[in-house]
Amino acid sequence: MKCQDVQRALDAQLIGTLGREEADALDAHLAGCAECRTHVSEVRRLQAELRLVGTEGPSPRAWERISA
């Protein structure tokens, strides 16, 4: 796997379509590439933070305060 393949692999991993062979190739690449490890770490941190936010928008009361 090359650096330019990492984002595609991460996208596939996120939606659950990354196969075992590709996952192994991603892990092998990350073991030897500090730049990609940093990128993957940041992407995973952002994904974790987004999961904490949830999917609901502001409450109607919050919209009232924003509009005021």
Side-chain angles (χ1 to χ4, degrees):
M1 180 171 286
K2 297 180 181 176
C3 294
Q4 62 264 25
D5 300 322
V6 169
Q7 187 60 51
R8 183 190 52 74
L10 284 177
D11 292 344
Q13 188 177 52
L14 179 63
I15 61 173
T17 61
L18 187 67
R20 170 67 7 226
E21 191 173 302
E22 275 190 300
D24 290 344
L26 176 61
D27 290 342
H29 178 80
L30 294 176
C33 183
E35 187 174 338
C36 285
R37 274 195 312 274
T38 298
H39 174 73
V40 168
S41 177
E42 286 299 310
V43 168
R44 289 180 177 158
R45 182 191 58 78
L46 180 59
Q47 289 171 343
E49 287 179 12
L50 288 173
R51 280 191 293 275
L52 292 175
V53 171
T55 58
E56 292 184 29
S59 69
R61 178 86 173 117
W63 281 118
E64 290 173 12
R65 290 187 302 223
I66 292 169
S67 298

